[in-house]
């Protein structure tokens, strides 16, 4: 675990896939559009804690959905890359925008289309229910499934390694809630 903490200390941006990471992977459609997605409040609080601590959070997803945009806005996620065909290029653009290198990026993915990004970033993470090919290249596999607390667990790992977690907990004790979940 020491090695993973050393890697996590260097992280300056957390990038997330959506379906299978922030959700359980279910996609509910009617004839015209996506009807809803099921997000986890613990994952949302984790993202709020990351943003509160100054760790930017971004989304790279192959789907387009007003639901994703709304949830990202609620949580303070400023960088949303939707409808992405080539996640490597989206990763490169995000890193350039933030002036960061690959070693400073963490990515959470769950399926084959995430492999090009996971194989490049400093901290490659997956939910417990990710496909084996993804798990095989990840530095960290959460004990929780996608949409069921995996993102929260990964955020805590990073914030604890960076020395930010205790400050976040203390700020909640002093200031109360105030963040979206």
């Amino acid at each position: 675990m020491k090695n993973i903490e050393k890697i996590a200390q260097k992280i300056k941006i957390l990038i997330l896939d959506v379906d299978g990471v922030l959700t359980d992977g279910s996609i509910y459609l009617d004839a015209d559009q996506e009807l809803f997605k099921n997000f986890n409040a613990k994952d949302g609080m984790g993202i709020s804690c990351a943003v509160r601590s100054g760790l930017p959070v971004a989304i790279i997803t192959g789907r387009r959905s007003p639901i994703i945009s709304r949830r990202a806005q609620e949580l303070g996620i400023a960088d949303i890359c939707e409808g992405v065909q080539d996640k490597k290029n989206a990763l490169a653009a995000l890193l350039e925008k933030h002036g960061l290198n690959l070693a400073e990026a963490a990515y959470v993915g769950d399926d084959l289309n995430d492999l090009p990004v996971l194989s490049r970033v400093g901290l490659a993470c997956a939910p417990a229910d990710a496909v084996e090919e993804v798990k095989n290249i990840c530095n960290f596999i959460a004990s929780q499934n996608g949409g069921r607390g995996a993102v929260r667990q990964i955020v805590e790992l990073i914030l604890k390694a960076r020395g930010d977690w205790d400050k976040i907990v203390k700020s909640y004790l002093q200031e109360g809630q105030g963040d979206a979940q």
Side-chain angles (χ1 to χ4, degrees):
M1 193 63 163
K2 289 285 185 198
N3 190 33
I4 196 70
E5 290 171 3
K6 203 170 189 180
I7 294 168
Q9 283 176 344
K10 300 175 186 173
I11 298 306
K12 295 184 179 171
I13 188 168
L14 174 62
I15 307 166
L16 308 169
D17 180 34
V18 176
D19 295 313
V21 171
L22 284 173
T23 74
D24 66 5
S26 299
I27 299 170
Y28 301 91
L29 303 170
D30 71 4
D32 299 317
Q33 65 184 0
E34 190 167 49
L35 293 175
F36 64 89
K37 289 184 180 292
N38 187 21
F39 295 100
N40 183 285
K42 286 184 176 54
D43 288 336
M45 180 57 80
I47 291 167
S48 291
C49 288
V51 171
R52 184 184 269 222
S53 72
L55 177 66
V57 179
I59 288 174
I60 299 176
T61 181
R63 298 184 62 79
R64 286 189 182 278
S65 169
I67 297 167
I68 295 169
S69 298
R70 177 178 173 195
R71 184 64 174 153
Q73 183 180 24
E74 287 176 350
L75 298 174
I77 300 172
D79 294 304
I80 309 160
C81 307
E82 293 184 274
V84 174
Q85 296 295 314
D86 185 343
K87 290 188 175 190
K88 286 184 319 220
N89 287 339
L91 170 66
L94 280 171
L95 294 180
E96 183 177 334
K97 176 182 177 182
H98 290 273
L100 301 172
N101 63 51
L102 289 167
E104 297 170 314
Y107 183 80
V108 187
D110 70 306
D111 216 332
L112 300 177
N113 59 335
D114 297 307
L115 289 172
V117 176
L118 288 166
S119 64
R120 287 170 170 75
V121 296
L123 181 60
C125 303
D129 58 345
V131 299
E132 287 305 312
E133 294 83 357
V134 165
K135 289 180 182 181
N136 288 339
I137 68 165
C138 282
N139 309 91
F140 182 79
I141 301 165
S143 62
Q144 302 298 315
N145 288 342
R148 299 286 182 256
V151 170
R152 169 64 174 265
Q153 189 178 4
I154 292 162
V155 168
E156 284 190 33
L157 166 77
I158 295 168
L159 295 182
K160 286 176 181 177
R162 290 170 29 130
D164 293 332
W165 185 251
D166 289 340
K167 295 176 214 166
I168 290 293
V169 173
K170 186 176 181 180
S171 74
Y172 278 102
L173 285 169
Q174 293 173 346
E175 301 168 22
Q177 201 242 15
D179 290 335
Q181 297 180 15

